[in-house]
Amino acid sequence: MIVMAAVIANNLTTLRAAMPFRRKATAALLAFLVGAFGAHRLYLGAGRWWLPLGVTVAMIPLLLGVENWYRSPAFFLLMVPVAAGFIEALRLALMPDEKFDALYNPGSDRRNASGWAPVLVAIATLMVGAVAVLTTLALLFQTIFE
């Protein structure tokens, strides 16, 4: 039993050493650019990374050929993973380096020293994400109350 525990502990140490180092700015940039497809979740090694991709891929064919695509329920469902990508980008960009390393680089000797890159990603995310989400909300209210 003790030998088995030692083997498992050794395997976990080997597995952590084999994990690639993940950069906070890269994860935030992926969430900002392609968060609707779950690319940042794949980069971070998260389980079920394909869920945003599934929603996005399922909604796109429903929008093709629709005259007023911006009033289609599929458009509003498509915007859910897009908005979630923007929120994830902000969460990752504004997370302290120590917390990011503890979550996504456990057991690594390397540490993130991110500097200005995540701040710039957060600024771009706020600019683009706010416009996208507010436009979607305006279209939603126009569709509901018109």
Side-chain angles (χ1 to χ4, degrees), residues 92-121:
L92 291 169
L94 299 176
M95 182 183 297
D97 290 343
E98 296 79 23
K99 184 174 180 183
F100 183 88
D101 287 331
L103 287 173
Y104 301 111
N105 295 317
S108 176
D109 293 335
R110 295 176 63 189
R111 296 286 170 229
N112 273 293
S114 49
W116 280 97
V119 174
L120 296 175
V121 171

Side-chain angles (χ1 to χ4, degrees), residues 66-116:
V66 176
E67 185 176 329
N68 291 331
W69 56 268
Y70 53 87
R71 291 188 172 191
S72 170
F75 171 71
F76 299 114
L77 288 175
L78 174 67
M79 289 307 290
V80 170
V82 172
F86 290 137
I87 292 168
E88 279 287 309
L90 285 173
R91 184 184 73 84
L92 291 169
L94 299 176
M95 182 183 297
D97 290 343
E98 296 79 23
K99 184 174 180 183
F100 183 88
D101 287 331
L103 287 173
Y104 301 111
N105 295 317
S108 176
D109 293 335
R110 295 176 63 189
R111 296 286 170 229
N112 273 293
S114 49
W116 280 97

